[in-house]
Amino acid sequence: MGAYMSMPKGSNVPVPTSALRVELGWRSGQGVPDVDASALLLVAGKVRSDADFVFYNQPAHTSGAVRHEGKRNDGGQVTDTLSVDLARVEGSVENVVLAGSADGGSFGRVPGLYIRVLDTRTGAEVARFDSTDATVETAFVLGEFYRRQGAWKFRAIGQGYVSGLEGLATDYGITVDEPQHAAPPAAAPQGPATLVQGPPPPVAPPVTVYPPVAPPVNVPPPMPPGPYPAPAPQPPVSLSKVTLTKEAPSVSLAKQGGTGGTMRVNLNWEVRKQFSGWGSKRGRAVAMHADLDLDLCALYELSDGRKGVVQALGNAFGALHQPPFIHLDGDDRTGAVASGENLTINLDHKQSFRRILIFVTIYEGARSFADLHATVTLQPQNGAPIDFSLDECTVPSTVCALALITGNGADLVVQREARYLVPARGVSPQRTLDHAYGWGMNWTPGRK
């Protein structure tokens, strides 16, 4: 279906209540800030609680109506996606605001910024708004879904904030975890008086001392003796995140607050679905991807010297609460954006890890990673998410080293690898990776 005509700012169109895909898109380039999509579910213009804020640190609403799916980069055209099922939005929610925040600059430096709404079932584009007048804003409300006479509509908005995601969130009632600021420096000791030309200093106003205020007459009776159950703590929303790049490829988990609990490692991928014509090499390559099966795996070396692999091949799914403290959640054969492949690492046993190599292999359905767009996200239970995208594959690779995690007992450091390897003829992807990273394991053929 052809592109939908861009809506004027302030206009609205009806939208179906079926599941929708909301894409926030722009063109990447030198000096272009990264952009993150978010959504807020509002009642009378405010969130009911911080749980009504869906973004990279809180990717799913409890109702299941809104989910942050993540980014992909297709030849410099970047999209960050939200899935919205309006049929599942709670009846008290009146608006679902769709926004973006710029990381590393303002929206005036983001070319080709747009938002579009697609029907997930049919793929039809039902609404599109292209923003062309952003300047110094670092957060931008591009549109919203709203109820009108029992139906849902989409409105193009195009209004921004210079105070970033924090300003946008607090304006809608979100409690934001403020970063710790250093205490102001102590006043310097006074030296000998020096005559300075200029007007005399202002005179401080006189201080008025008021008598203490008498306590109120109607004092409530004392509370009966406890104990009382403590209210459940509600930590403020943290807006921090980490994106690993070639220029900044590593991060300490401890410095990001990932000191315990679990860490979920997610691999999402998307295949180019365009068919460019009969007889096209590209068309035949896409056809090969119809039954694509990627496997997320991990080589591990524990502090006591034990080594092994966690992978679906051979049903070596690992274990979370006993060595190796790594567990593969399942084997996804679809690459669906909402699921992908996942494994979990128990950070409560970080002192047990010497090194972990996260990698992905092609089990079947393709001869290389060409035409695949993959994103890796490491989500510590108690820290900021860490994500990165894989570069375009230009070699006949069937195994890719994603991230190397090394431990020193007190901390784990995540290093972006994004390294495509080409196995020699007759050599398995696992053995190829083992040789490249010096793991020194013996390998035998296996199957799922």
Side-chain angles (χ1 to χ4, degrees), residues 187-210:
Q190 296 294 322
T194 303
L195 180 62
V196 179
Q197 298 295 327
V203 178
V207 178
T208 304
V209 179
Y210 295 96

Side-chain angles (χ1 to χ4, degrees), residues 6-7 45 56 60-61 74 77 98 116 163 252 295 386 394 431:
S6 182
M7 301 168 58
Y56 50 77
H61 192 259
D74 186 358
Q77 180 62 48
L98 307 166
R116 68 173 185 155
S163 48
S252 159
D295 283 344
I386 302 163
T394 58
R431 189 187 296 272

Side-chain angles (χ1 to χ4, degrees), residues 261-281:
T262 60
M263 179 168 69
R264 179 173 175 263
V265 182
N266 173 260
L267 172 70
N268 268 319
W269 67 91
E270 185 163 342
V271 181
R272 293 182 195 264
K273 298 180 177 62
Q274 293 87 355
F275 188 85
S276 54
W278 296 107
S280 161
K281 292 181 180 179

Side-chain angles (χ1 to χ4, degrees), residues 199-238:
V203 178
V207 178
T208 304
V209 179
Y210 295 96
V213 179
V217 176
N218 297 322
V219 178
M223 294 287 290
Y228 303 101
Q234 295 293 329
V237 170
S238 172

Side-chain angles (χ1 to χ4, degrees), residues 43 79 98 101 113 120 123 156 179 193 196 210 259 309 330-331 342 354 361 389 399 409 419 432:
V43 177
T79 54
L98 307 166
S101 56
L113 180 66
T120 303
V196 179
Y210 295 96
T259 55
V309 64
D331 180 27
N342 302 279
R354 184 172 295 168
T361 66
S389 297
V399 58
R419 180 182 176 189
T432 301

Side-chain angles (χ1 to χ4, degrees), residues 296-300 308-312 316-319 324 326-328 343 359:
L296 183 65
C297 316
L299 281 173
Y300 62 84
V309 64
V310 174
Q311 60 180 6
F317 287 94
I326 306 169
H327 182 254
L328 181 65
L343 61 80
F359 67 99

